[in-house]
């Protein structure tokens, strides 16, 4: 469902698996659906409803923009089908919560596109930290306005933290733990997009439940992707993580470890294996990704309202 950039990437990866056939593609822009469908010898539809009516499926990928989440997932779950959903889960928290409740009722396999969890360097960082608690986390997402029409609109993407920096927040949850409170502010709008556009820069302060502290900085004012990643500091160790590498410093010189895995391949393989009952390596099922989404929404709310937002220590 959704036949844009990220759907094309998943379709490319999936079509390389010997045990997967892409049966059909749906997009509200039927030309886009037809183009992607033709590349994979699949059927094409103009909506998720017509696709679900027309096909017998084993699983569905939902690759729609943030504003379109909700109805698509609920229909897939109503059909009892396993579900892979691209991040962010939605524009807001309520929509994702409704989907999460349906996931719980249906008990199907789910996965969310937090592929950073499959980076080799993330696994190495966890090993290097061992049981040393992280006390400080510094996250950044310094980038351009992505070239998709819905992105600069707040009611299209939800803003840069919900849409992009959510990868960094997910990693912070993995390496540091759950967040108890956030404060945040944002500044300006990207030029040419007007007052209703997303913020041009966001700065956030995070207090983790175990007392660790974190800072997040994001901007979409650049014409290029400058840097996106997370630094974590624990007693006697500094780690700098990105999709490309891990820089380790323990006071005896810096070691640079280049990412060697293929996280974007592994995230799809893990989902397919789980659907086939052959594996249990889904690292961000829907209910876990909901916690990351809830954190991103809290940062966005704090930035919009100017007051700190407390996150309850339960999921309800
Ligand atoms: N995990 C990652 O690395 C990664 C990378 C890129 C994009 N994404 C995420 O994937 C999502 C889509 O991004 P994109 O770059 O592919 O966007 P895109 O605009 O290229 O594609 C989205 C497609 O969804 C279609 N669509 C909209 N509403 C629909 C609906 N109700 N039913 C069916 N189709 C619908 C649009 O017509 C469009 O073709 C975004 O949320 C983005 O954050 C994730």
């Amino acid at each position: 469902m959704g036949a844009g950039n990220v759907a094309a990437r998943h379709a490319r990866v999936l079509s390389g698996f010997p045990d997967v056939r892409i049966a059909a593609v749906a997009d509200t822009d039927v030309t886009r659906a037809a183009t992607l469908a033709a590349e994979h010898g699949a059927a094409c539809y103009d909506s998720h409803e017509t696709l679900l009516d027309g096909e017998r499926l084993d699983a569905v990928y939902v690759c729609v923009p943030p504003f379109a989440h909700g109805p698509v997932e609920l229909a897939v779950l109503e059909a009892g089908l396993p579900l892979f959903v691209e991040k962010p889960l939605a524009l807001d928290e309520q929509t994702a919560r409704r989907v999460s409740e349906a996931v719980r009722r249906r008990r199907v396999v789910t996965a969310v596109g937090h592929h950073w969890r499959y980076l080799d360097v993330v696994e190495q960082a966890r090993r290097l930290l061992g049981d040393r608690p992280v006390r400080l986390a510094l996250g950044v997402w310094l980038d351009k306005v992505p070239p998709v029409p819905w992105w600069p609109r707040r009611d299209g993407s939800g803003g840069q933290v919900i849409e992009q920096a959510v990868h960094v927040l997910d990693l912070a949850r993995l390496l540091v733990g759950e967040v108890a409170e956030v404060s945040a502010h944002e500044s300006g709008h990207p030029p040419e997009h007007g007052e209703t556009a997303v913020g041009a820069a966001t700065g956030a302060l995070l207090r983790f439940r175990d007392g660790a502290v974190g800072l997040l900085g994001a901007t979409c004012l650049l014409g290029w992707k400058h840097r996106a990643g997370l630094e974590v500091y624990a007693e006697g160790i500094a780690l700098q993580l990105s999709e490309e590498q891990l820089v380790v410093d323990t006071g005896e010189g810096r070691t640079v470890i280049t990412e060697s895995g293929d996280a974007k391949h592994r995230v799809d393989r893990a989902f397919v294996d789980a659907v086939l009952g052959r594996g249990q390596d889904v690292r961000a099922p829907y209910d876990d990704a909901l916690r990351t989404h809830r954190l991103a929404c809290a940062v966005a709310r704090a930035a919009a309202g100017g007051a700190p937002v407390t996150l309850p220590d339960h999921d309800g």
Side-chain angles (χ1 to χ4, degrees), residues 2-6 9 26-29 32 63-66 68 72 86-88 113 115 148 150 163 167:
N5 300 308
V6 85
R9 187 188 92 201
D27 197 299
T28 44
D29 178 342
R32 294 191 98 176
C63 299
V64 300
V72 183
E86 258 311 333
K87 45 57 63 179
H115 64 271
V148 279
W150 45 266
E163 213 278 336
H167 281 302

Side-chain angles (χ1 to χ4, degrees), residues 38-303:
E39 279 170 31
H40 296 282
C44 104
Y45 294 88
D46 63 0
S47 72
H48 66 271
E49 292 102 331
T50 49
L51 192 157
L52 289 170
D53 281 350
E55 298 287 332
R56 286 192 56 220
L57 305 167
D58 299 309
V60 174
Y61 272 67
V62 176
C63 299
V64 300
F67 68 86
H69 285 284
V72 183
E73 288 91 331
L74 291 173
V76 172
L77 291 166
E78 187 58 37
L81 293 170
L83 180 65
F84 185 108
V85 183
E86 258 311 333
K87 45 57 63 179
L89 298 183
L91 278 184
D92 60 354
E93 202 180 315
Q94 289 78 357
T95 304
R97 269 190 196 289
R98 273 203 302 281
V99 173
S100 166
E101 280 155 22
V103 167
R104 229 169 280 156
R105 279 197 305 275
R106 287 287 170 172
R107 294 164 185 250
V108 293
V109 171
T110 60
V112 175
H114 283 301
H115 64 271
W116 286 32
R117 290 194 179 209
Y118 293 86
L119 293 169
D120 283 343
V121 289
V122 168
E123 287 170 27
Q124 293 185 55
R126 293 182 86 175
R127 269 200 301 277
L128 285 163
L129 283 169
D131 54 11
R132 283 184 275 205
V134 171
R135 305 309 329 159
L136 174 67
L138 305 175
V140 288
W141 199 289
L142 314 170
D143 207 338
K144 59 182 181 296
V145 172
V148 279
W150 45 266
W151 202 91
R153 296 194 337 260
R154 231 175 253 281
D155 63 358
S157 67
Q160 192 178 16
V161 172
I162 288 176
E163 213 278 336
Q164 289 180 320
V166 68
H167 281 302
V168 172
L169 292 173
D170 190 58
L171 197 53
R173 282 191 53 237
L174 191 71
L175 297 179
V176 190
E178 300 297 342
V179 172
E181 189 183 69
V182 302
S183 8
H185 294 280
E186 72 181 27
S187 169
H189 305 284
E192 297 162 27
H193 293 290
E195 293 288 296
T196 55
V198 298
T202 308
L205 173 65
L206 317 178
R207 180 171 62 79
F208 290 83
R209 270 187 217 161
D210 75 348
V213 290
L215 292 169
L216 176 73
T219 184
C220 57
L221 278 177
L222 307 174
W224 68 97
K225 186 169 178 181
H226 185 66
R227 196 149 62 90
L230 184 73
E231 295 176 22
V232 292
Y233 298 86
E235 194 180 344
I237 189 164
L239 299 174
Q240 250 175 283
L241 271 153
S242 71
E243 267 194 272
E244 293 78 36
Q245 64 180 32
L246 167 66
V247 182
V248 185
D249 197 341
T250 52
E252 291 155 4
R254 290 151 74 95
T255 309
V256 179
I257 303 167
T258 305
E259 170 60 24
S260 56
D262 185 355
K264 290 174 179 168
H265 179 281
R266 290 164 74 194
V267 70
D268 286 333
R269 190 64 245 174
F271 174 66
V272 171
D273 284 342
V275 169
L276 293 172
R278 285 189 203 141
Q280 291 190 322
D281 192 28
V282 171
R283 300 188 188 175
Y286 199 94
D287 58 348
D288 193 60
L290 178 62
R291 292 189 190 166
T292 298
H293 181 62
R294 182 178 78 152
L295 172 57
C297 290
V299 173
R301 249 191 345 270

